[in-house]
Amino acid sequence: MKSEFNKSMSIVDVLFLAIGAMLGWGWVVLSGEWVSTAGFVGSIIAFLIGGFLVIVIGLTYAELAAAIPETGGGFVFVKKAFSPGIAFISGWSVLFGYVSVITFEAVALPTVIDYVIPFQHQGLLWNIAGWDVYLTWVLIGSVGSIILTSLNYFGVKPAAIIQTVFTIFIVGVGLLLVFGAGFNGNFNNLQPFENGVGGTMSVLMMIPFLFVGFDVIPQIAEEVKAPAKKIGGILIFSIIASVIFYLLIVFGVSTGLSPQALTTSSLATADAMVNLFGHSGFGILLVLGGVAGIITSWNAFIIGGSRILYAMAKNKMIPQWFAYIHPKFKTPTHGILFLGVLAFVAPLLGRPALQWIVNAGGIGVVLGYLLVAISFLKLRKTQPELERPYRIKNGKAVGIIAIVLSVLFLIIYLPGMPSSLAWPSEWLIVLVWYFIAFVLYFTQKRNVVSSEQVPIQEDR
């Protein structure tokens, strides 16, 4: 069946799409929390364990993306292995993670603009969880959502070009921080551990959110003009490159700020940069790298999220409205507009509420990973004849490890764990999201059955 999409993305486009998605803004705003919560060694261990999980999961995605290069990625893999109901859970769960990142970036944008250009906000709207929401603050995030939505609306290639340029800038700024740490950093600041195992686990809990993004590659597989085998290889390379980047940022921040300075810093990565180079201009440069990260991850998840919505609509699991492809731009414009609206209204919730969404969205990401790993093993058994251009070695062992690690990650979020989701705020978000899934799935299922039961009039 002929694809409705244009093959307009090169391997370079795909590489920077995934790396830009995984780097985002978290390395700027969260690094101080990692080091103060777990210490230098504790943070490194968390990223190595989390990175190992993501690489193992990525191997299962890489083989399946090369074997089944269809729009929808993990959702399509699970549907091929299991029932539509399980595939729906998979797609809806990953979409949960994507939406959480999109809404997070809509709030991160005005936050970072405040650092670069201090501004007295006007038009107090309301207070949420002790945080005042101002109209001018909201408008920065909302205008950003209009720009990013428009960029994707008019075709994937313009969005890919912006992605490449901004990702190169992020990596350059990050490497500058590491360069400064190597020459001017204080190695006595490298406190091995903070808060024991609990501190390391708290950082570990953030890993799925930080690395969600490599799975955008399978979402747009139909739009890549390259052999299927290369899609798998570039996916794994993007994960490894991102893990190394995060480890280097931990080193840069740990040597750039003392433990005491970490506790008082609101933007530790930028303050470390200032401290290492002795000029406030370097802090602004780093924050601009963060702005680039906001744009790259936001952009990537609009691309990926709209393709999930398209695939689920094509399979009649959500309203057909989401399956619309623009005849000229060849993009799923209705899905893009829907995600744009969510980003537009997200700043109205203020900063605290969005942190709840981010934490809750991590569960969706890990659940999606788990279902893909199980599907990987099942398809190896039930469809051994399936052509696998990027066939990984020791597939059974890799699949089992991916499943075990995904389950262990899910346990981290559960009540009683040191890093469990907060009740009621974060758990309510999870329950509401999956309640919507329940209503949508059974409503659509009933509509499909009803349409199939309409009697056909015979000509007489």
Side-chain angles (χ1 to χ4, degrees):
M1 187 172 67
K2 189 176 183 299
S3 173
E4 294 186 78
F5 295 92
N6 287 332
K7 285 188 176 293
S8 56
M9 296 192 73
S10 68
I11 279 295
V12 173
D13 293 334
V14 173
L15 174 64
F16 285 114
L17 177 69
I19 292 178
M22 285 183 277
L23 298 188
W25 165 246
W27 64 279
V28 176
V29 74
L30 297 174
S31 60
E33 188 176 341
W34 304 334
V35 179
S36 60
T37 300
F40 170 67
V41 176
S43 297
I44 294 293
I45 289 172
F47 273 96
L48 289 175
I49 294 172
F52 177 70
L53 162 73
V54 178
I55 289 169
V56 172
I57 294 287
L59 286 169
T60 65
Y61 269 88
E63 178 171 301
L64 292 172
I68 314 168
E70 298 176 21
T71 298
F75 164 77
V76 177
F77 309 154
V78 177
K79 184 173 182 290
K80 198 169 185 69
F82 293 104
S83 67
I86 296 175
F88 180 89
I89 294 170
S90 170
W92 192 254
S93 295
V94 174
L95 184 65
F96 190 16
Y98 284 15
V99 167
S100 74
V101 176
I102 290 169
T103 52
F104 173 82
E105 303 301 4
V107 170
L109 185 61
T111 304
V112 70
I113 295 298
D114 279 351
Y115 186 94
V116 179
I117 310 168
F119 178 69
Q120 187 65 44
H121 287 289
Q122 304 294 321
L124 178 63
L125 298 176
W126 43 69
N127 183 287
I128 294 180
W131 202 82
D132 291 334
V133 182
Y134 286 92
L135 177 62
T136 51
W137 188 89
V138 168
L139 285 174
I140 295 171
S142 297
V143 169
S145 74
I146 293 171
I147 295 170
L148 266 293
T149 303
S150 301
L151 185 67
N152 279 278
Y153 186 96
F154 295 112
V156 74
K157 190 62 182 179
I161 292 170
I162 293 292
Q163 189 81 359
T164 300
V165 172
F166 279 65
T167 302
I168 290 171
F169 181 63
I170 295 167
V171 173
V173 171
L175 291 178
L176 184 62
L177 171 69
V178 176
F179 176 82
F183 282 92
N184 302 324
N186 184 348
F187 286 69
N188 293 326
N189 291 341
L190 299 179
Q191 299 295 320
F193 293 96
E194 296 285 348
N195 304 310
V197 175
T200 301
M201 286 182 67
S202 292
V203 175
L204 199 55
M205 179 186 173
M206 301 181 198
I207 302 295
F209 169 68
L210 294 169
F211 282 96
V212 61
F214 72 86
D215 47 323
V216 170
I217 293 179
Q219 310 295 352
I220 48 95
E222 282 186 32
E223 300 165 74
V224 181
K225 51 181 179 183
K229 185 175 183 178
K230 285 193 174 182
I231 295 175
I234 214 73
L235 188 152
I236 296 303
F237 181 82
S238 69
I239 297 172
I240 294 171
S242 299
V243 171
I244 293 171
F245 182 88
Y246 276 116
L247 291 173
L248 291 174
I249 294 300
V250 169
F251 168 72
V253 172
S254 297
T255 57
L257 289 178
S258 67
Q260 294 76 23
L262 275 171
T263 59
T264 58
S265 173
S266 59
L267 217 53
T269 321
D271 291 340
M273 188 80 143
V274 172
N275 203 32
L276 290 167
F277 287 95
H279 194 283
S280 60
F282 283 92
I284 292 173
L285 179 65
L286 189 131
V287 171
L288 290 174
V291 173
I294 290 171
I295 292 168
T296 57
S297 59
W298 195 343
N299 187 45
F301 292 117
I302 290 175
I303 293 172
S306 60
R307 272 65 176 177
I308 294 177
L309 289 166
Y310 164 84
M312 294 179 75
K314 286 289 284 186
N315 284 274
K316 299 181 179 178
M317 294 181 181
I318 59 175
Q320 288 295 291
W321 185 80
F322 289 104
Y324 176 79
I325 299 293
H326 195 285
K328 180 180 179 181
F329 306 123
K330 298 298 182 183
T331 53
T333 46
H334 287 178
I336 290 167
L337 289 172
F338 172 74
L339 295 171
V341 170
L342 292 182
F344 184 86
V345 302
L348 293 168
L349 300 176
R351 207 181 306 170
L354 271 298
Q355 193 61 45
W356 303 334
I357 293 173
V358 165
N359 289 340
I363 277 195
V365 173
V366 179
L367 183 56
Y369 291 167
L370 173 62
L371 291 173
V372 168
I374 296 170
S375 300
F376 167 82
L377 279 184
K378 184 173 182 187
L379 289 172
R380 273 283 183 108
K381 185 176 181 180
T382 60
Q383 297 191 29
E385 76 289 347
L386 179 68
E387 187 179 350
R388 292 171 167 85
Y390 190 84
R391 187 181 181 90
I392 60 173
K393 295 179 181 178
N394 305 311
K396 186 174 182 180
V398 169
I400 291 171
I401 293 170
I403 291 169
V404 170
L405 289 175
S406 296
V407 170
L408 290 175
F409 257 85
L410 280 175
I411 291 172
I412 288 176
Y413 292 92
L414 298 180
M417 301 302 290
S419 51
S420 63
L421 293 183
W423 176 264
S425 54
E426 293 168 2
W427 277 113
L428 277 178
I429 292 170
V430 173
L431 294 173
V432 168
W433 182 260
Y434 285 100
F435 176 74
I436 294 170
F438 177 84
V439 172
L440 264 179
Y441 181 73
F442 284 99
T443 302
Q444 288 297 117
K445 190 175 182 181
R446 187 167 61 248
N447 291 342
V448 170
V449 171
S450 299
S451 65
E452 290 173 351
Q453 289 176 347
V454 173
I456 300 172
Q457 297 288 333
E458 292 184 11
D459 292 331
R460 296 188 182 276

